[in-house]
Amino acid sequence: MSRRKKSRAGDDTNDIDLTPMLDVVFIMLIFFIVTASFVKEIGINPNVPEPNNNPPPPDAEPNILVRISADNQIWLMEKEGERRVDTRAVRSNIERLRAELPKAAVIIQADVAAHTGTYVAVADAAREAKAPTVVLVPSK
């Protein structure tokens, strides 16, 4: 019986000390945090001009204005006024206006609630129409 008492008493002293393992885990955590390389997300970098309160000179070449409303409708400003344009027809309309105004820049006035995909579609269409400059102007 004395053997049984000793073996039971020995079971209580066989606890595993977790302190060194926790030390190693914390050291590894600090190592991975310090050596981690943080990736910069790549996104659209639109050309947003600096605010300018001066009106353009009277002899300045007119620009092609495309407006994107909050509900993603595309409006093209022409001499007669604004006209709603489908996404597929933006390129042909910009090409037609560029034939009349060869040095005109395309200014896209997008509402802040409009989808980015609509802006990208209009900007791509303007670049395919060989517009010299495509500028995004956010509207309020």
Side-chain angles (χ1 to χ4, degrees):
M1 281 211 206
S2 64
R3 286 185 181 179
R4 288 185 187 171
K5 288 182 183 179
K6 287 184 180 180
S7 64
R8 287 185 188 163
D11 289 341
D12 292 337
T13 60
N14 288 338
D15 291 337
I16 297 174
D17 188 17
L18 296 178
T19 307
M21 185 184 73
L22 289 175
D23 289 344
V24 169
V25 169
F26 283 123
I27 289 172
M28 288 175 56
L29 179 67
I30 292 170
F31 173 77
F32 286 124
I33 289 174
V34 169
T35 61
S37 62
F38 298 100
V39 179
K40 183 179 179 185
E41 292 184 19
I42 299 173
I44 295 177
N45 187 9
N47 263 345
V48 181
E50 295 293 325
N52 187 0
N53 296 332
N54 299 333
D59 59 343
E61 181 104 13
N63 293 315
I64 301 169
L65 180 63
V66 181
R67 186 174 63 86
I68 302 173
S69 63
D71 56 349
N72 295 312
Q73 292 183 356
I74 302 169
W75 297 86
L76 188 66
M77 188 64 106
E78 295 182 338
K79 294 176 186 175
E80 300 84 32
E82 257 186 338
R83 183 170 61 95
R84 186 169 183 262
V85 179
D86 189 30
T87 307
R88 297 168 291 194
V90 172
R91 178 182 173 186
S92 60
N93 281 298
I94 291 176
E95 285 177 345
R96 179 180 52 82
L97 289 171
R98 285 215 1 96
E100 298 172 9
L101 308 164
K103 294 182 180 179
V106 176
I107 299 174
I108 302 171
Q109 183 180 13
D111 193 276
V112 293
H115 293 162
T116 307
T118 308
Y119 162 71
V120 170
V122 172
D124 288 345
R127 288 184 186 99
E128 288 174 1
K130 298 187 176 35
T133 308
V134 178
V135 179
L136 171 65
V137 179
S139 67
K140 296 170 177 125

